[in-house]
Amino acid sequence: MPFTDHSDLYGSIHEDGIQLVVRHVMRQRPSLFNYATALFSKRPDLFCVPIAVAPEVRDADDPLFKEEDPLPVFGTPVPIGLNWCFQLTDVQMDFHPGNAIELPPELGALPVQSLALRMKGCFGLDCPSEDFIRELIPAIEVLALSSAQGLARAALSPGIPARELVVLPTRRLRCFCLELFAVAHFEWGPVGAPDSQWLKLRLDGLEIVNLQPAEMEDLIECYIRTVLRLGLLPRLSQPIGSLILNLTDLLKKQGVAIGQEITLQPAPAPVAVPNNPAVESDQLMAFMNLVVEEA
Amino acid sequence: MKRKNVVLNRPVFAQRAFDSQALTVLTTLFHRFPEAGDYDLWVWQGERLIHRAQVSVVAEGGPHQIHLDLATLTEVSKPYSLAVGGVIGFYVSHGVGRYHVKIVQITRREKVVRLDSSDVIPAGDLFAVTLVRPGIYRVLQAGGKGEGEIHVRLPRGERYRPDQATRVTIGKEGMMEPHAVEILAGQSVVFWCTVPTSLRIEWIREEEAAGPPIQRQRVARDQPPRPEQR
Amino acid sequence: MAHMTIAVSEGVFRRSFDLLKRNLIIERADSMSFGSFTAGYDVKAHLEGGSIDLRNDGTLQLRELDVRWDRLRLTLGLDLPELCVGGGCVDMPWPIPDICLPRVCVFSGDPDVSISTDLAAFVAQEISFTARLAVRYFDASLPLPSPDLCAPLRIEPLPDHNQWRIHIDPETIDVDLFDFPDIVGDLVEDALTGGVEALIPGGWVRDLILAIIGSVADLIRSLLDIPDEIEEWLSDLFNVSFGLLDFIGTLVLDFFSRCNPIYQVDDPLEIMPASNGLIPVRIPIRNLSVSVNDAEMVLQADVGA
């Protein structure tokens, strides 16, 4: 049966292909998946997981990570921060039927038209050494208890003006990684202009296995879910044309020349096709119609 | 495509009178050189001398006939060479100029005028006219001696060639033999003057309409021929 | 199994082809000399209509693509021979040599007659061909061939990056012969006759000149060397001497097969645009292949490592 039996155009990608795409995205836009303090631009060796990067990124001098503020140490008489990093790595996708990723029981069986995700979230924090803390304490005590703050502050960190954050120097980070499981699905929707068509990845559930106490697990899951839903996933939305490798771009351009506006619209489901987009047989499939309007 | 600038030779169609004493387009005067020797040649256009040259008539070698176009002569030229008994034909290719020619033989003792076309055509010479305008022409001789007639008509579908010439002999007492000739337009009449004379040919009138008008042939088609446009 | 499968329905393919072919302009001018005449043409046409079918054997069939002539100007120049009167020779009795008369010519030089008529309204042709789809890889780092034959035909400039390009590759192209109707023969003959007659004043002068040259029609025929009907001669001129059929066929072939793809895929393909100074994200496309059945065109490719 022809692919275009119920629509003008059809595009599909197998999960093996998507896996390679994900790898390319992570290597060419590492700053989406790695967050750290400014120190790491000089000390990328300190990351929990080395960042694999495409040569073009280095050639263009693009940042390897998104710079964030240091983690504040509470209660200090002057602002003090610690270096840290957060990395998402080893992203893996498995389209329905799920046969590559074993989901934890909390997420249940992979529903139809869904995909399973597995990734690692690694967090690293600078833990100042015992010697260093002992060195700092006298100055801290002075700052905390006396008014001779100017001298004490100068002793603490020469050359840094008052009220500025002091970031403790880091020799190495302490890291841990958590395995994350998720279930997601795809849907069409506009971005900005109401008639635009984008393929969006929607998170349905996220699970970190066996973290105690359970409330802490819930809290971390919630945070990571929020990071994914507000931070990462919106940037990965794809315009409808890219699912067919922008094959109709030339057609659109030639249409403009004769006063025609040619756009792609998802074929209506379930009227034309049962599911659109469809995730089945280890593939993501999209069904599109060509709409021509005389200008 | 560049268009060549061509000009219709109007005198060919406009002229109605031809005079041996004043050579014009469509007339030719032939002078024969029966004797070897050196000759001077002068050519005038109206009152103005326009050409001088020498003619060297030789016993052996040399062409038997030379044509000189009086309308394109330069003032001076190299001597002409001619075989004894040969002929120079003086003609006019274009323009409205009127010319006359003088030839003088240079002997050891004297100069003898052999030809002065503003006066007479000497015996032995020939005068030719090419008649283009259809109609009836009258041929007059100097001194009123003799009269002839030339009928010129347009070809009527017969095989036609302009390069046909008819000879008329002018004899004693101005007799013309034949007395009347008929030619097709564009053809020529050559008058052989066995006696000195001068000739004038004048168009008198149109010929009475004889045959049907000329039909312009179209390519054979299954269509009637178009009406003629004048 | 290929990583990516994309299918384009026959309807979309037809639309793509339709928009592409609108850009094909046939345009050419030339003139050549045949001795007693010169013939030149100045033509311009575009394509309309036609139906394109995808077939199960992997071929595309195009039928009844109309060549619409916007301009089909024919210029004919006749080099009229000299027209002269007089001349000929007269027998003379011995010892006088035969006297030959000079000719006097009717025009000051060889006149030309030149006509130019637009025959666009009288001719229509159709093109048909069978084709396959061919995948070509454009490597932006390689220099262009010299001379660049596609330069006048290309409708999109060449990209500055690599690209997979899918071309319609005609196998045989049939172009209808030029076949001028009778009316064209009349038109041309009238124009030539008018041109000749315009040179000549009217009245008996014309009659005489016509008598000299025979008839204008015969003169024209002999100068142009036309054995039969003038419209057949004209058709031969266009089909053979001018080589316009070959030109059209080659142009159509070059336009589709070499110069203008019907579809193109960038390699690498950009999936995330540059933003905030960050470079775009691009994925390499490998092993692109294309096939056709009677319902659709199917394209398959892999994501490169």
Side-chain angles (χ1 to χ4, degrees), chain A residues 13 15 18-19 22 91-101 103 107-119 181-187 199-206 233 236 277-280 282-285:
Chain A
I13 181 161
E15 64 189 22
I18 278 274
Q19 203 59 56
V22 167
V91 177
Q92 205 184 344
M93 283 191 183
D94 185 12
F95 292 149
H96 190 277
N99 37 26
I101 297 174
L103 289 172
L107 289 175
L110 183 64
V112 289
Q113 303 301 324
S114 298
L115 59 142
L117 288 154
R118 180 167 64 198
M119 66 189 91
F181 292 89
V183 168
H185 69 275
F186 289 102
E187 63 185 38
L199 186 73
K200 305 174 182 185
L201 187 58
R202 295 287 192 232
L203 199 63
D204 293 317
L206 185 88
L233 296 182
L236 300 178
V279 178
E280 50 194 59
D282 293 332
Q283 295 176 77
L284 163 66
M285 304 174 203

Side-chain angles (χ1 to χ4, degrees), chain A residues 146-205:
Chain A
S146 81
S147 55
Q149 294 199 354
L151 290 168
R153 198 191 153 91
L156 185 63
S157 54
I160 297 177
R163 291 286 111 203
E164 183 87 3
L165 181 73
V166 177
V167 184
L168 298 187
T170 304
R171 265 177 292 174
R172 67 181 187 87
L173 291 180
R174 289 195 200 216
C175 295
F176 71 93
C177 294
L178 294 172
E179 202 164 24
L180 309 167
F181 292 89
V183 168
H185 69 275
F186 289 102
E187 63 185 38
W188 296 110
V191 173
D195 54 353
S196 62
Q197 292 295 343
W198 293 74
L199 186 73
K200 305 174 182 185
L201 187 58
R202 295 287 192 232
L203 199 63
D204 293 317

Side-chain angles (χ1 to χ4, degrees), chain A residues 3 9-10 244-245 247, chain C residues 2 4-10 13 16 54-60 131-137 164-169 256-257 261-265 285-302:
Chain A
F3 296 109
L9 295 140
Y10 165 91
I244 48 166
L245 304 182
L247 218 51
Chain C
M4 294 181 284
T5 301
I6 288 146
V8 173
S9 70
E10 188 175 46
F13 191 90
S16 307
L54 306 183
R55 301 200 292 188
N56 271 331
D57 63 358
T59 60
L60 319 169
R132 286 184 186 271
L133 290 182
V135 176
R136 308 230 167 100
Y137 189 79
W164 293 95
R165 289 152 85 87
I166 299 169
H167 286 265
I168 294 174
D169 198 13
F256 289 111
S257 175
I262 188 163
Y263 297 116
Q264 54 197 32
V265 176
I285 308 290
R286 295 278 170 273
N287 308 325
L288 195 143
S289 69
V290 76
S291 67
V292 160
N293 61 58
D294 70 356
E296 59 199 5
M297 174 192 94
V298 179
L299 187 153
Q300 295 194 311
D302 290 331

Side-chain angles (χ1 to χ4, degrees), chain A residues 26-48:
Chain A
M26 293 179 75
R27 286 170 56 92
Q28 293 178 40
R29 203 49 77 82
S31 54
L32 269 184
F33 301 87
N34 299 280
Y35 301 83
T37 53
L39 169 78
F40 288 82
S41 32
K42 293 198 191 75
R43 297 292 309 277
D45 56 299
L46 290 175
F47 276 110
C48 298

Side-chain angles (χ1 to χ4, degrees), chain B residues 82-98:
Chain B
L82 198 65
V84 70
V87 152
I88 296 186
F90 301 97
Y91 76 105
V92 182
S93 64
H94 63 274
V96 295
R98 298 162 73 80

Side-chain angles (χ1 to χ4, degrees), chain A residues 4 12 14 24 28-29 62, chain C residues 3 5 156 279 282 296 304:
Chain A
T4 54
S12 74
H14 189 270
H24 283 296
Q28 293 178 40
R29 203 49 77 82
D62 273 7
Chain C
H3 291 154
T5 301
E156 290 286 326
I279 59 169
R282 297 186 173 126
E296 59 199 5

